[in-house]
Amino acid sequence: MKWFRKRRPDADAAPPPNAASPPTASPPTGAPPPDAQATPFDATLPPEPFGGGGGPGGGFGGPPSADVVGAFEGAPDALEAGAILGAEPGDRLDRSIAGDPLLALLVTVVEHHGYECRVLNDDQVEISREGRGGPLQMWLTNLRQWVAREPQGEWSAIVSDFVSSLIATTEVDEEDALDLEDYGLIRPLLRTRLYADDFQVGPGEIVRRLVAPGLIEILVIDRPTSLMLVRADMASAWPVSTDEAFRAAYDNVRLDGPLEIESELFDGVRLSTLHGETAYVTAHAVWVGDYPVTGPEGVLVTVPVQGVIHAAPIRGMDVLNAMDLLIKIAWSGYQEGPRSVSPNVYWWQEDTPLLLAGAVEPGEDSLSVKITPEFQDLLERLAQD
């Protein structure tokens, strides 16, 4: 038996009602919006420092966040600097951001804060200010996903909150620098979480490991108002191996406490949604079997966005319905975002690394879901039982 399915990515891909929307959580009063914080100018930052994803497949609400990294040369599709720097505002709009209201709004807000904003491409800008650290780069994918869910009349407030919190947190972190070579200081701050294997970063190699096809885990440093990706040159100064650093990060994530679980029944499939008030929800997918979500053959898992994990137990041929359900939810959450990770469905089983079960590949008008040989073997075995 070979299972190869095609689905339309529109109405067919809508998730069951309330299947993927855990309760929202508001930031503490007076605190900067948690999803718009950043590391110092010379550090790299993942798609959002705190909070979960939103919308179908998402977790907590809150403003969007930036992909921020330190400056690097040779950015793809970069515009000529003269189109941005040293040009009159009207020229800048005509030459680089005319027709893109979000980008035009972002540039205006950044400049209002006294920073220069250089547009590198439609989804990447670089901001800088004399007297501060090196330029700070932002990827705007998450911000675009976020504002797409809101009326355009609300974009100004969203972008203003986003930029204000980003700059405020960056300046605070810059003034409170860590000794990154002191492993004794850094060890309790290490965490890890999952990203797509094509996650964009800035200068220098970061400490990452392959978890499963399409997924990597990245080592990060948890700071009070932001988190920082660990660069390879930074980790090379520590007296431990990469594996040991990841083990420390795992221990720290576990010590932060377990995730919350919400379970509902859909067409005979028990769907569990794992979420929590932490930036490291996705790390728990690696040990999802520690939660009461597994079946005799393990559990199917999706990580569509940061902030949420969906899981369905594997129980006989009900696995086909479970696969259908997770494909719909994963694709919907991944497409809507923000902070998208993967539309694929993975398979966790005891004493085995996370495996890819089905790879979701979009076409012009449909989704192709390719079942891996390992999962195909399981389906054939279950069909014979």
Side-chain angles (χ1 to χ4, degrees):
M1 178 180 70
K2 185 174 182 180
W3 199 38
F4 181 89
R5 304 210 169 196
K6 287 185 177 287
R7 307 194 160 276
R8 297 190 62 82
D10 42 26
D12 226 15
N18 302 320
S21 299
T24 59
S26 300
T29 303
D35 285 340
Q37 300 164 349
T39 61
F41 282 110
D42 61 351
T44 39
L45 177 74
E48 100 289 357
F50 293 98
F60 304 116
S65 60
D67 297 341
V68 184
V69 301
F72 69 101
E73 297 180 352
D77 302 321
L79 299 174
E80 289 294 327
I84 304 301
L85 302 179
E88 293 297 323
D91 294 337
R92 182 184 294 113
L93 287 170
D94 291 342
R95 297 179 63 183
S96 62
I97 54 181
D100 189 334
L102 177 62
L103 194 53
L105 180 60
L106 180 74
V107 169
T108 299
V109 172
V110 169
E111 292 180 344
H112 175 74
H113 283 270
Y115 283 76
E116 293 181 338
C117 187
R118 177 187 177 211
V119 178
L120 302 180
N121 56 53
D122 289 346
D123 287 309
Q124 189 178 4
V125 300
E126 179 181 272
I127 69 174
S128 61
R129 184 176 183 175
E130 187 175 353
R132 289 289 176 183
L136 182 73
Q137 290 191 5
M138 275 187 240
W139 277 271
L140 307 181
T141 304
N142 293 327
L143 182 60
R144 288 192 185 281
Q145 288 179 324
W146 197 278
V147 299
R149 300 160 54 191
E150 306 294 341
Q152 190 166 342
E154 298 182 15
W155 288 12
S156 179
I158 293 172
V159 173
S160 180
D161 288 345
F162 162 71
V163 172
S164 298
S165 297
L166 173 69
I167 289 175
T169 305
T170 298
E171 292 177 351
V172 168
D173 283 349
E174 190 178 46
E175 294 167 2
D176 185 25
L178 287 172
D179 181 357
L180 299 176
E181 295 185 359
D182 185 346
Y183 183 71
L185 174 67
I186 297 300
R187 187 191 185 286
L189 305 179
L190 291 176
R191 302 291 188 277
T192 184
R193 54 186 213 168
L194 304 186
Y195 292 90
D197 60 2
D198 60 353
F199 175 65
Q200 299 182 87
V201 295
E205 182 183 354
I206 60 172
V207 180
R208 66 173 76 191
R209 296 195 304 194
L210 183 68
V211 173
L215 277 184
I216 57 173
E217 57 184 355
I218 293 179
L219 198 63
V220 304
I221 296 173
D222 181 47
R223 304 201 62 185
T225 57
S226 63
L227 61 85
M228 180 188 301
L229 302 186
V230 175
R231 297 190 304 270
D233 60 344
M234 184 190 307
S236 67
W238 299 341
V240 298
S241 66
T242 297
D243 287 344
E244 187 172 343
F246 269 104
R247 282 194 295 271
Y250 280 10
D251 290 343
N252 293 335
V253 172
R254 289 175 181 270
L255 286 172
D256 289 340
L259 302 178
E260 297 179 41
I261 306 176
E262 295 188 7
S263 297
E264 295 186 57
L265 204 61
F266 295 100
D267 297 328
V269 176
R270 179 159 295 281
L271 175 72
S272 295
T273 297
L274 288 70
H275 61 93
E277 295 188 38
T278 171
Y280 310 107
V281 169
T282 55
H284 292 252
V286 176
W287 54 83
V288 69
D290 289 359
Y291 292 89
V293 297
T294 63
E297 300 290 345
V299 59
L300 293 178
V301 182
T302 65
V303 188
V305 295
Q306 295 290 347
V308 70
I309 298 169
H310 297 295
I314 300 176
R315 300 183 184 279
M317 290 307 291
D318 285 346
V319 67
L320 297 181
N321 291 333
M323 191 75 170
D324 285 344
L325 179 63
L326 288 175
I327 288 168
K328 294 175 183 178
I329 293 175
W331 178 253
S332 177
Y334 175 78
Q335 283 294 100
E336 183 170 348
R339 301 178 292 276
S340 299
V341 178
S342 173
N344 297 333
V345 180
Y346 294 88
W347 174 23
W348 181 94
Q349 54 183 329
E350 192 72 35
D351 299 324
T352 303
L354 204 62
L355 298 173
L356 179 65
V360 180
E361 301 174 355
E364 290 185 4
D365 58 358
S366 66
L367 295 178
S368 296
V369 182
K370 281 188 177 179
I371 302 303
T372 60
E374 296 86 356
F375 195 64
Q376 179 67 41
D377 290 343
L378 172 67
L379 293 178
E380 294 178 356
R381 177 161 56 81
L382 292 175
Q384 294 171 1
D385 291 344

